[in-house]
Amino acid sequence: MTRSRRARIGRLAVRRLLFGVPLVLVVSLAAFALAAASPFDPLEAYLGGAGDGYTEAEREVLRHALGFDQSWIGAWWQWITGAVTGDFGYSRAYHEPVAQVLTERLGWTALLGAAGSVVAVVLACALGVTAGLRAGGLADRVISAVAVVLQAVPPFIVALGAVLLFAVTLRLFPTSGLTDPGEPITAASAARHLVLPALVLGVSQVPWLALGLREAITGAANSDAVRGAHARGLPRRVVHSGHILPMASAPFFALIGGRLPELLVGATVVETVFAWPGLGDATVDSARALDFPLLAIVTVLTVGLVLLGNLAADAAAIAVDPRIEADG
């Protein structure tokens, strides 16, 4: 990579950072505001089924002790000032500090997300390139039709179908958790249990990525630059590898970055179905229990992931196509 491209990527990263910090603050503020507007009572969620055993006076004392009577702006300020020092508050859903919840679960979500992303990108590249370079042919029609049908299927249906086929019928992979019941967690057991949820998560993202790459390739194939390359008599292989695919890679990278929120949503569903101990399951639990500190940090991490994904996608596009001027 040339020095000029590295400098452009560096300037892009600085601009995104200056934009991202206030955006994260606004998103965290909005999370507390929306939580405060919820019709659910956080004290009832905290007490669960034991709520009927408390008098109204005891409820008020407990509400004050837990900080539930605090204004949402005050709760947000207390959370944000603590977060600056690394104190993200206390999770009422898990009865432990939020930092500990993140320590226990963030790594497993990152592992599942990375594995699912690899599956999605590899399959999408193979299918999208095949369909795009053979536009209008049998392979293109079959791949496009399957992708359109698959993108309409909810991820939990894909997950249940995968469990039925690979776990129940073929008995190739386990159905849930990190290891077999009663067995210690090892790298081998975690990898074996990772295969099915990673495959489901990746497959759920393939349709949009494959169709997007197919459209980018067909658009590049019809460009004046490619027509000129054909007119100069360049071999088809050279035109494909030196002109069409580099031109199509930039919008494909942008599409990958834009699909990160969907990847996180899919991870939430997949983790719930496969009992994978990640942040997706914690997100559901925090929403049910109105666990504002945990819900806020998960929301902030989601926004940060999207910003980093878009930055990585734009940086990769600049690296492969010098004509691109990201962010103007």
Side-chain angles (χ1 to χ4, degrees), residues 5 33 61 70 81 89 107 119 131 144 149 164 170 233 242 263 295 304 317:
R5 293 192 199 181
V61 172
Q70 191 177 20
T81 52
V119 171
S144 298
V149 172
L164 177 63
L170 300 178
L263 186 69
L295 191 59

Side-chain angles (χ1 to χ4, degrees), residues 20 27 59 68 95 97 108 111 158 175 177 188 201 213 245 251 256:
V27 168
R59 284 172 175 269
F68 292 155
H95 303 288
W108 295 117
L111 177 62
V158 178
T175 59
L201 182 60
L213 181 57
L245 294 182
I256 292 175

Side-chain angles (χ1 to χ4, degrees), residues 106-313:
L106 184 58
W108 295 117
T109 291
L111 177 62
L112 176 60
S117 298
V118 171
V119 171
V121 171
V122 169
L123 290 178
C125 285
L127 297 175
V129 169
T130 300
L133 295 180
R134 295 170 175 80
L138 177 61
D140 177 31
R141 294 196 296 271
V142 171
I143 291 173
S144 298
V146 172
V148 169
V149 172
L150 185 59
Q151 64 86 25
V153 180
F156 77 92
I157 296 295
V158 178
L160 294 178
V163 169
L164 177 63
L165 176 61
F166 294 107
V168 177
T169 304
L170 300 178
R171 298 184 181 276
L172 294 177
F173 304 107
T175 59
S176 63
L178 293 172
T179 187
D180 297 328
E183 297 294 329
I185 299 175
T186 63
S189 68
R192 182 166 168 265
H193 284 72
L194 173 66
V195 172
L196 203 54
L199 181 63
V200 170
L201 182 60
V203 168
S204 68
Q205 300 303 311
V206 165
W208 288 109
L209 295 178
L211 291 174
L213 181 57
R214 186 256 182 204
E215 290 301 315
I217 289 175
T218 55
N222 294 322
S223 66
D224 293 337
V226 172
R227 291 196 186 98
H230 284 302
R232 294 194 302 271
L234 294 178
R236 182 180 297 273
R237 176 179 58 82
V238 174
V239 174
H240 288 173
S241 61
H243 293 75
I244 295 178
L245 294 182
M247 293 173 62
S249 61
F252 182 62
F253 288 142
L255 183 60
I256 292 175
R259 297 299 297 177
L260 281 177
E262 184 67 25
L263 186 69
L264 189 65
V265 172
T268 301
V269 175
V270 170
E271 287 182 7
T272 302
V273 172
F274 290 98
W276 188 261
L279 281 180
D281 192 39
T283 303
V284 176
D285 292 339
S286 64
R288 288 174 177 172
L290 298 178
D291 190 353
F292 301 152
L294 180 56
L295 191 59
I297 191 61
V298 171
T299 303
V300 168
L301 287 175
T302 302
V303 174
L305 176 65
V306 173
L307 294 176
L308 288 176
N310 287 327
L311 173 61

